[in-house]
Amino acid sequence: MIFEGLRWIIGRGVLAYEKMTAPEPPVYSMEQQAAIDAQTQGLALYEFKACPFCMKVRKELRRKGFNVELRDAKRNPAWGDELREEGGKYQTPCLKITSGDSQVEWLYESDDIIDWLGKNIVIQA
């Protein structure tokens, strides 16, 4: 009981910190944003809202202006089940990458996700 209360307080602190330190997203032309959105449409980030590692990935998504579907695996049991059954483990953050040929890859670990985004999402100049 005490542990849950403490976890709740820490979680609220993480969310407040995220809100206070959220980077401003870049402003792209309509064409640039459309090209980015086309590259990110097959992505979904499974997260726990108050997870600091998930916050790290969300901040990077905002910093780069990437629109990725966010799926709270804790609050939505269907997404939690999908993460566990298809991804192989109930761990966040996890990026579900669905390619054009319907191949699905599950990528765990915040640094690996951020690295993958930097290498695979091309921002046209």
Side-chain angles (χ1 to χ4, degrees):
M1 179 94 151
I2 292 173
F3 180 70
E4 288 180 19
L6 183 59
R7 209 162 94 185
W8 185 88
I9 291 169
I10 292 170
R12 299 298 76 94
V14 167
L15 293 173
Y17 175 76
E18 179 180 15
K19 189 169 188 151
M20 291 184 318
T21 62
E24 285 297 318
V27 177
Y28 297 117
S29 70
M30 288 178 55
E31 294 81 14
Q32 286 174 312
Q33 190 64 57
I36 292 167
D37 291 347
Q39 295 175 75
T40 60
Q41 86 179 42
L43 304 179
L45 181 68
Y46 290 75
E47 62 170 355
F48 298 153
K49 208 53 152 170
C51 165
F53 298 102
C54 298
M55 176 186 70
K56 180 179 178 179
V57 175
R58 288 192 304 266
K59 287 177 84 167
E60 183 66 12
L61 292 172
R62 184 172 169 89
R63 182 179 295 107
K64 298 272 181 114
F66 296 168
N67 295 316
V68 172
E69 180 182 2
L70 302 178
R71 297 181 176 178
D72 192 328
K74 187 175 275 186
R75 294 181 187 227
N76 185 323
W79 286 335
D81 291 344
E82 183 177 318
L83 177 61
R84 186 180 296 106
E85 293 166 13
E86 295 182 32
K89 53 187 169 179
Y90 190 66
Q91 175 187 324
T92 62
C94 179
L95 185 66
K96 180 181 180 183
I97 306 161
T98 307
S99 62
D101 58 357
S102 298
Q103 292 286 341
V104 176
E105 178 184 351
W106 296 83
L107 183 61
Y108 292 88
E109 303 297 334
S110 57
D111 288 337
D112 292 342
I113 293 168
I114 290 168
D115 187 52
W116 187 93
L117 291 167
K119 290 178 179 173
N120 291 279
I121 307 301
V122 178
I123 302 170
Q124 303 291 328

